[in-house]
Amino acid sequence: MSGIVTLTAAGAIDATYRIGALRRGTFTRADSYTREVSGKGVNVSAALAAGGADTAAVVVLGVDDVRFARCGLTAPLLRIVEVPGATRVNTSIIDADGATTKVNAPTPPLSAEAWDATIHTIRAELAARTAPWLVLSGSLPELAGTGRLVDLCAVRATAREHGARLAVDTSGAALDAVLADPAGIDLLTPNADELSAAVGRPLLTLGDVVTAAREIIARGVVTVLASLGADGLLAVTADRAVFARADAPYVANTAGAGDAALAGFLLGLTRAPAATAAGEDPLIVAAASAAEWGAHAVAHASTIVAGPPHGIRASVETAPDLVRALTPEGEA
């Protein structure tokens, strides 16, 4: 059985408040409040499941919140690694204009025993699947008492052991660690800011993004899926660049859009044999699917999408205008 296993080494509880207006330093009563188990890998698996894929979400959660996690909509997907205490809480505040203010709790360190248990759980899930994907999503914790991030070599070795293709969606110090030795990564999914930081220069046009992505590809990555926010996304390989963009019916919550886009891309790739047989280009199918799922996600009030996109169609360019300017930050 093929499938997609996601890893969230720093699980979270997502708390989402909807308010009329956010005014700094004042009391505000929320109009509504939701709470759900999250973390980027959980979000990806939820979208994959909504798209009909076989998926499991390996996630590290505090034991205080395991009962809550097992009662949620994503419970059947979760493969929980329990650690002492409570799970960190990430907070989104969404105002009446649809703007999202997000505050994420710091990532707690992980013991060596918990990391070993996490790798063991990944190994078990990959072993149950043929030619799977392993998706490493979200921030990485430090190994307790070392001041260093958990060892990614164990993740890569486990993927290789089971013939799994490896996708990585992370940022900050974890992304720096990945980029220091990215050989063997099949899919890397930075946003424009992360890609800019990786190459050490601003990215102002689509051409700038393609050039930066190919610098990463030259280090050993197969495909870079660059998220450009409201501008769309670019799927870049060593010799191709496909641009895709889709309009959301409305904007309810931008948190989780990148996770849904990654899920959409992987869902598109799972249709590659059928697409090829039908004379379609798998990279085009995957890029379009990513844009549609991303647009679908922003129309959801929560970070977990409940079903596949309907009525959203991406526009795709196989020869994008490389001099097209990106929208400046804050003007989307």
Side-chain angles (χ1 to χ4, degrees):
M1 178 174 62
S2 63
I4 302 168
V5 178
T6 65
L7 167 60
T8 306
I13 302 296
D14 269 7
T16 302
Y17 297 84
R18 303 191 70 87
I19 64 173
L22 180 62
R23 297 182 181 88
R24 184 171 179 264
T26 64
F27 172 84
T28 302
R29 177 82 66 186
D31 297 321
S32 65
Y33 166 73
T34 59
R35 186 171 179 262
E36 58 196 351
V37 175
S38 186
K40 293 179 71 65
V42 176
N43 298 344
V44 172
S45 278
L48 288 168
D54 165 52
T55 185
V58 178
V59 57
V60 177
L61 295 176
V63 67
D64 294 358
D65 298 293
V66 167
R67 182 178 179 183
F68 169 71
R70 296 200 187 283
C71 295
L73 293 176
T74 59
L77 308 176
L78 303 181
R79 307 296 184 265
I80 298 172
V81 178
E82 298 182 15
V83 294
T87 306
R88 67 187 181 125
V89 176
N90 294 339
T91 302
S92 295
I93 302 172
I94 306 171
D95 64 27
D97 294 328
T100 301
T101 301
K102 191 164 179 61
V103 180
N104 283 2
T107 302
L110 202 61
S111 70
E113 293 77 13
W115 183 238
D116 288 344
T118 302
I119 298 299
H120 175 79
T121 306
I122 295 169
R123 185 175 290 115
E125 292 301 322
L126 292 178
R129 294 165 172 84
T130 304
W133 277 88
L134 174 60
V135 182
L136 172 63
S137 286
S139 57
L140 290 178
E142 289 186 353
L143 193 63
T146 68
R148 302 189 307 271
L149 295 179
V150 292
D151 185 10
L152 289 178
C153 292
V155 176
R156 295 189 187 200
T158 302
R160 287 193 302 269
E161 176 186 345
H162 295 282
R165 287 176 286 178
L166 182 61
V168 177
D169 178 18
T170 189
S171 59
L175 181 57
D176 292 341
V178 166
L179 291 176
D181 180 21
I185 294 174
D186 294 275
L187 178 63
L188 188 69
T189 63
N191 61 32
D193 289 340
E194 292 160 352
L195 188 57
S196 174
V199 298
R201 62 179 181 273
L203 306 180
L204 304 178
T205 67
L206 291 186
D208 290 342
V209 175
V210 172
T211 299
R214 287 197 172 132
E215 290 180 23
I216 303 301
I217 289 167
R219 303 181 197 177
V221 175
V222 177
T223 303
V224 172
L225 180 65
S227 172
L228 309 177
D231 289 321
L233 56 85
L234 274 165
V236 184
T237 66
D239 56 2
R240 302 183 60 202
V242 175
F243 173 80
R245 185 181 182 280
D247 290 321
Y250 55 90
V251 176
N253 184 3
T254 57
D259 303 330
L262 170 54
F265 192 82
L266 293 172
L267 286 167
L269 291 182
T270 64
R271 298 197 295 269
T276 301
E280 298 178 295
D281 186 318
L283 189 63
I284 293 175
V285 171
S289 178
E292 290 163 4
W293 277 87
H296 175 54
V298 301
H300 278 71
S302 74
T303 54
I304 301 293
V305 295
H310 295 292
I312 298 175
R313 293 293 177 267
S315 59
V316 178
E317 300 174 21
T318 57
D321 179 6
L322 298 182
V323 300
R324 184 186 308 165
L326 301 179
T327 303
E329 186 177 358
E331 296 184 14

